[in-house]
Every structure is written in C-alpha cells, then in structure tokens.
Amino acid sequence: MTEILYYPLIDCDPEGSEKAALIPTPHEDTVRAQAGMWLEEMIPHYFRLCSQNTDRPADTFHIRCPRCGTVLKRISADINKTRRGLYVCSACDMK
C-alpha cells in the first residue's frame, strides 16, 4: 500500500452506534468536508477512527471492516478528540 486511504462512515442504526464505511478516497480534505467520522488506513487492515467533533466514547461504536464487513476490534486508546482509537480487522489480518 503506497497511499493513505480515507473511508467515510455512515450510521447503520438509529442510535448511530453501528457504522459502515463507504468507498475510500486518498483525499483527506474531501472526507473531512463531507463526513463527521471516517477511517484512516495507513497500514492494510489497520484503521484509525477520526472525527470532526464528538464527545461520544469511541468504544460505544461497532465499526464494520470496509473490506469484509466484520466488526473491527479496537486495539488502542484515543489520541485526542479527533484522532480516536486504532482498530484492526482480525478476519482480514488472518488472510
């Protein structure tokens, strides 16, 4: 992988706790302008949750892998309010 990909997230339930990724783009400015939350993939199958501004704890979200649809596993704490936890897809990482 040679470029960072950004996946905008959408809500899949009325509470906003279930999230799914849309088609990725290599342009962070585009995603930032159109989405409140997105995933940043620098290393294949590892995703940083990013957000504009939300006080909701990141561990209340169930985020689906953009590639296989499996729920991502959170493996690190938030860096700050916009750079949230790091997630991994255990299913894709095993392949």
Side-chain angles (χ1 to χ4, degrees):
M1 181 177 215
T2 59
E3 63 185 351
I4 299 171
L5 293 177
Y6 302 93
Y7 298 82
L9 294 175
I10 58 168
D11 293 338
C12 294
D13 65 346
E15 295 83 33
S17 59
E18 194 79 23
K19 305 279 187 190
L22 297 176
I23 297 170
T25 179
H27 307 289
E28 182 179 16
D29 294 339
T30 302
V31 172
R32 187 182 295 275
Q34 297 177 358
M37 298 184 88
W38 62 93
L39 294 174
E40 176 183 272
E41 183 182 27
M42 284 194 228
I43 300 169
H45 317 297
Y46 288 81
F47 305 92
R48 172 75 60 191
L49 176 62
C50 300
S51 64
Q52 291 288 348
N53 49 13
T54 182
D55 290 330
R56 189 166 168 187
D59 58 356
T60 62
F61 301 119
H62 301 283
I63 304 168
R64 300 268 172 195
C65 175
R67 298 184 182 192
C68 72
T70 304
V71 174
L72 297 174
K73 179 182 175 186
R74 186 172 177 193
I75 58 172
S76 79
D78 296 351
I79 294 174
N80 56 38
K81 288 191 176 207
T82 59
R83 308 241 336 127
R84 311 299 293 272
L86 185 64
Y87 293 78
V88 64
C89 180
S90 301
C92 288
D93 201 35
M94 298 297 286
K95 293 180 184 176

